[in-house]
C-alpha cells in the first residue's frame, strides 16, 4: 500500500512539472518584459527631461530678444536635445508652451502646476514623448503598448526696472529744487537740507526688496501686504531700518524719515514696488533707496487735495540764481498725476495679452510763476506776472524680451520698448509798461502754446549685464535738452501779444505799437530762455522728468533655477 501511494505521488508530480515549468517560464518572460518596459519608460523620461530642459532656454522668458520665439524653433531645439540624449527619431516628441506657477490653497498648496499657454504668455516648455512598444518580445501575439513620458521645464529671468530714475549726479541747483519739492510735499517749512553728495549717496545705496516688504508685512502674509495700502511714514521708517545706508546716505535718509514723521497718508505699496508675474518676491532683488524715497513722497503728493505750492526764493541757492536773472519773485505749483514706481516682472504677457513689465515715470504739471521788474530798452519798466505752465507725460518702458545666462556665460540681456515723455509749454502773462514821469503807458497780455515736443517710441536693448552684479545698470535714450529747447522755440514763435495803451504816450516813448512789441519781445524772451535753462532744465532733472528722453535703470535681475516637473498631466 505504501508503495502504491508513493507511485501515485510521483505520477502527480510528473504530470504537474511541465505546467510548473511553463508557469515559471511565463513568469520570467513577464518579469523580463516588465523590466524592459520599465527601462524603456525611464529612458523615454530621461529623453523628455533633456528635451524640456534644453527647450526652456529658447522660450519666451529666456530667449526672446528682438522677436518672440516661434513654437517651431522650440520644437527644433527639443528634438536636437532629444537626439543628443539617445532618441532615435521613432515615436512622437511634441513641444508646447505654458505657465508653471505655485498653487495657492487647497490640497496642492505650495505645489508647482502647469497650464498650457501661448508662447508670449509662457515661462515653461512641456514635452510629450509617445512611443509604441511590444508588450512581449517572446510572446509577440500579445500586441503593443503605448508608453508616454512627459516633462515640463521652467526657466525665467525677472528684472527690476524703473524709468526716469536718478542715475546722474545732482548739482547744487538740482539738489536745492529737490529739497524744496520733498519738503513741500511732506509739509516741512524751508524744505530739506540735503546736498548733491547726500542725494548721490542715496542713489548708490540699495535695499533688499524682501527685507523692505517683509518689514512692512510684520505678521501679515507678504502676498497680502503687496496688494494693500501702507502709510508713507511706515515705508520710509522701514526703509531706514532695512537699507544698506551708511555715512552720508544714512544721514540723508535719517533727515527724510524725520521730515515724514506724522505723515499718515496711505499709499498703495504696489505703486512703489509692484511684483508681477507669479506674484512671488524674488530673492536677492535690490532697488535704489532714492527711487523708493521719491516714489513714496510723490505718491503722497499725488494724494494731496490741492497742488503743492513752493516759494523758490526761500532757497538761498535758488534765490541768488533768480536774482541774477532779474527775477524778483518765483513760485512753483506742482500737480502730481502719476508717481514713478519700481516694477519687478518677467518678459511675458498676462492672460489678457498685456506685458507684465511696465514701468512709468512721474507725470507732473508744473506752473512756474515769475515776477519781473525790468527795463525795456532803457526807456520804460516792465512789471510782469509771468506764469509758465509745463505739462509732461509719463515716459514708459516695457519689458518685452530677455536672454538668460547659460553655460559659462553669466550675462543677461533685456529687450525693452521705450516710450519717451512729451513736453508742452503754455504762458498767459500780463505786463504793465510804465515810466516814472509819464506813468502807465500800456497793458500787455502775452499768451502762447508751444505744442508737444519729445515723445517717440523705440526698442532698446539693455546689456549685456552681469547677473551677479549688485550695482544698477542704467542707459539713457534721447536728449532732454533738445526737447526743452524745441518747446521754448515753439512757444516764442507762437506768442500772441495784445496791447491796451495810452497811444499818444506810447508813440512818444516807443514810436508806436511795433516799437513796444519789439521791446517786450527783446526783454522777455532772453529772461525766459535763461530761466528755462537754469531753473526749468535742472528742475526737470531733479524730479526725474527728463523730457524727450528716457533714463532706464535695471536695478535687479534674478534668474530662477530650472524647475523640472516629470509625469505632468497636460
Amino acid at each position: 500500500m505504501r508503495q502504491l501511494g508513493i507511485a501515485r505521488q510521483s505520477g502527480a508530480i510528473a504530470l504537474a512539472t511541465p505546467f510548473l515549468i511553463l508557469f515559471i517560464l511565463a513568469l520570467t518572460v513577464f518579469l523580463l518584459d516588465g523590466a524592459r518596459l520599465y527601462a524603456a519608460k525611464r529612458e523615454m523620461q530621461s529623453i523628455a527631461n533633456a528635451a524640456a530642459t534644453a527647450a526652456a532656454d529658447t522660450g519666451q522668458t529666456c530667449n526672446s530678444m528682438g522677436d518672440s520665439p516661434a513654437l517651431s524653433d522650440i520644437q527644433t531645439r527639443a528634438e536636437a536635445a532629444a537626439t543628443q540624449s539617445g532618441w532615435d527619431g521613432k515615436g512622437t516628441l511634441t513641444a508646447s508652451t505654458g505657465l508653471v506657477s505655485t498653487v495657492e490653497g487647497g490640497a496642492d498648496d505650495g505645489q508647482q502646476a502647469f497650464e498650457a499657454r501661448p508662447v508670449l504668455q509662457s515661462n515653461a516648455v512641456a514635452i510629450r514623448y509617445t512611443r509604441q512598444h511590444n508588450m512581449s518580445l517572446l510572446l509577440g501575439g500579445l500586441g503593443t503598448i503605448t508608453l508616454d513620458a512627459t516633462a515640463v521645464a521652467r526657466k525665467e529671468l525677472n528684472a527690476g526696472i524703473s524709468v526716469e530714475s536718478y542715475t546722474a549726479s545732482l548739482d547744487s541747483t538740482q539738489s536745492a529744487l529737490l529739497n524744496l519739492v520733498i519738503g513741500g510735499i511732506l509739509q516741512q517749512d524751508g524744505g530739506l537740507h540735503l546736498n548733491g553728495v547726500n542725494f548721490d549717496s542715496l542713489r548708490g545705496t540699495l535695499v533688499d526688496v524682501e527685507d523692505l516688504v517683509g518689514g512692512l508685512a510684520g505678521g501679515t502674509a507678504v502676498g497680502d501686504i503687496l496688494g494693500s495700502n501702507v502709510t508713507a511714514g511706515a515705508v520710509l521708517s522701514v526703509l531706514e531700518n532695512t537699507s544698506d545706508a551708511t555715512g552720508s546716505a544714512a544721514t540723508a535718509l535719517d533727515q527724510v524719515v524725520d521730515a515724514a514723521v506724522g505723515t499718515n497718508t496711505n499709499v498703495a505699496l504696489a505703486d512703489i514696488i509692484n511684483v508681477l508675474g507669479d506674484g512671488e518676491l524674488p530673492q536677492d532683488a535690490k532697488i535704489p533707496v532714492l527711487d523708493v524715497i521719491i516714489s513714496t513722497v510723490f505718491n503722497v503728493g499725488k494724494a494731496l487735495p490741492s497742488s503743492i505750492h513752493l516759494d523758490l526764493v526761500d532757497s538761498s541757492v535758488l534765490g541768488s540764481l533768480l536774482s541774477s536773472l532779474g527775477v524778483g519773485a518765483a513760485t512753483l505749483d506742482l500737480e502730481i498725476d502719476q508717481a514713478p514706481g519700481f516694477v519687478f516682472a518677467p518678459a511675458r504677457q498676462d492672460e489678457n495679452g498685456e506685458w507684465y513689465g511696465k514701468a512709468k515715470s512721474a507725470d507732473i504739471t508744473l506752473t512756474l510763476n515769475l515776477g519781473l521788474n525790468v527795463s525795456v530798452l532803457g526807456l520804460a519798466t516792465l512789471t510782469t506776472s509771468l506764469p509758465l505752465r509745463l505739462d509732461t507725460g509719463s515716459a514708459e518702458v516695457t519689458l518685452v524680451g530677455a536672454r538668460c545666462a547659460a553655460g559659462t556665460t553669466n550675462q543677461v540681456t533685456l529687450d525693452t520698448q521705450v516710450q519717451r515723455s512729451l513736453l508742452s509749454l503754455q504762458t498767459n502773462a500780463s505786463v504793465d509798461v510804465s515810466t516814472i514821469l509819464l506813468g502807465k503807458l500800456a497793458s500787455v497780455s502775452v499768451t502762447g502754446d508751444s505744442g508737444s515736443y519729445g515723445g517717440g517710441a523705440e526698442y532698446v536693448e539693455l546689456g549685456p549685464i552681469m547677473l551677479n552684479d549688485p550695482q544698477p545698470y542704467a542707459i539713457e535714450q534721447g536728449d532732454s535738452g533738445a526737447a526743452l529747447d524745441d518747446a521754448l522755440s515753439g512757444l516764442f514763435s507762437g506768442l500772441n501779444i495784445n496791447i491796451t495803451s495810452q497811444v499818444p504816450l506810447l508813440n512818444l516813448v516807443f514810436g508806436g505799437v511795433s516799437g513796444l512789441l519789439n521791446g517786450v519781445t527783446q526783454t522777455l524772451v532772453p529772461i525766459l530762455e535763461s530761466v528755462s535753462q537754469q531753473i526749468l532744465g535742472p528742475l526737470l532733472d531733479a524730479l526725474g522728468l527728463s523730457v524727450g528722453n528716457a533714463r532706464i535703470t535695471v536695478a535687479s535681475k534674478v534668474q530662477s533655477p530650472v524647475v523640472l516637473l516629470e509625469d505632468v498631466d497636460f
Side-chain angles (χ1 to χ4, degrees), residues 238-322:
V238 173
L239 178 65
E240 183 179 32
N241 295 328
T242 56
S243 73
D244 300 329
T246 59
S248 178
T251 301
L253 184 52
D254 185 61
Q255 187 178 148
V256 173
V257 171
D258 286 345
V261 171
T263 303
N264 296 317
T265 303
N266 280 327
V267 296
L269 184 56
D271 288 341
I272 302 171
I273 300 171
N274 203 3
V275 181
L276 299 169
D278 55 16
E280 296 179 1
L281 274 178
Q283 294 183 347
D284 302 322
K286 297 180 182 295
I287 54 179
V289 167
L290 187 58
D291 279 8
V292 180
I293 293 173
I294 296 299
S295 181
T296 303
V297 173
F298 278 25
N299 271 290
V300 172
K302 178 183 175 182
L304 294 176
S306 59
S307 61
I308 300 114
H309 183 76
L310 306 172
D311 193 338
L312 300 187
V313 181
D314 284 347
S315 166
S316 58
V317 174
L318 299 176
S320 299
L321 177 59
L322 290 165

Side-chain angles (χ1 to χ4, degrees), residues 1 10 47 52 85 91 189 194 210 212 216 240 245 254 263 291 295 330 339 380 410 425 447 509 511 518 551:
M1 293 295 291
S10 298
I47 290 172
S85 297
D189 293 336
L194 304 180
E210 277 190 305
L212 179 59
L216 288 167
E240 183 179 32
D254 185 61
T263 303
D291 279 8
S295 181
N410 198 34
L425 293 172
T447 60
V509 177
N518 290 333
R551 289 196 297 251

Side-chain angles (χ1 to χ4, degrees), residues 304-497:
L304 294 176
S306 59
S307 61
I308 300 114
H309 183 76
L310 306 172
D311 193 338
L312 300 187
V313 181
D314 284 347
S315 166
S316 58
V317 174
L318 299 176
S320 299
L321 177 59
L322 290 165
S323 178
S324 69
L325 298 176
V327 179
T331 61
L332 180 67
D333 292 298
L334 286 81
E335 297 176 19
I336 301 176
D337 299 315
Q338 169 74 45
F342 177 88
V343 174
F344 195 96
R348 55 181 166 90
Q349 295 179 351
D350 62 17
E351 61 273 16
N352 298 316
E354 295 292 329
W355 293 103
Y356 277 114
K358 286 187 177 182
K360 293 184 177 182
S361 70
D363 183 357
I364 297 179
T365 299
L366 311 173
T367 302
L368 183 61
N369 299 289
L370 304 176
L372 307 175
N373 194 356
V374 293
S375 172
V376 185
L377 305 178
L379 301 174
T381 299
L382 292 184
T383 303
T384 307
S385 174
L386 197 157
L388 189 62
R389 180 183 172 92
L390 184 149
D391 290 304
T392 66
S394 289
E396 183 176 88
V397 58
T398 304
L399 182 60
V400 297
R403 181 176 294 121
C404 292
T408 58
T409 302
N410 198 34
Q411 294 178 326
V412 298
T413 311
L414 303 174
D415 199 14
T416 60
Q417 185 178 30
V418 178
Q419 176 69 49
R420 295 193 297 273
S421 55
L422 290 170
L423 165 69
S424 64
L425 293 172
Q426 300 90 35
T427 190
N428 184 13
S430 60
V431 183
D432 287 336
V433 184
S434 62
T435 66
I436 295 176
L437 295 178
L438 299 177
K440 183 176 178 179
L441 302 180
S443 294
V444 183
S445 66
V446 182
T447 60
D449 190 331
S450 68
S452 297
Y453 292 86
E458 61 185 316
Y459 284 93
V460 179
E461 182 176 305
L462 308 179
I465 310 169
M466 293 300 296
L467 186 61
N468 57 355
D469 186 356
Q471 294 303 313
Y473 172 91
I475 188 172
E476 188 165 332
Q477 293 294 119
D479 187 344
S480 174
L484 183 56
D485 289 344
D486 291 343
L488 284 169
S489 297
L491 178 67
F492 296 149
S493 63
L495 289 178
N496 296 311
I497 302 178

Side-chain angles (χ1 to χ4, degrees), residues 122-136:
S122 68
N123 66 356
V125 172
I127 299 295
R128 182 181 295 278
Y129 178 22
T130 304
R131 186 166 183 164
Q132 298 290 325
H133 286 268
N134 289 323
M135 290 188 66
S136 175

Side-chain angles (χ1 to χ4, degrees), residues 118-169:
V119 172
L120 289 176
Q121 298 176 19
S122 68
N123 66 356
V125 172
I127 299 295
R128 182 181 295 278
Y129 178 22
T130 304
R131 186 166 183 164
Q132 298 290 325
H133 286 268
N134 289 323
M135 290 188 66
S136 175
L137 293 180
L138 295 177
L139 305 175
L142 296 180
T144 61
I145 185 174
T146 301
L147 295 183
D148 186 82
T150 60
V152 173
R154 170 192 174 184
K155 189 175 183 181
E156 187 166 47
L157 176 67
N158 282 264
I161 57 174
S162 59
V163 62
E164 302 293 307
S165 57
Y166 304 84
T167 56
S169 296

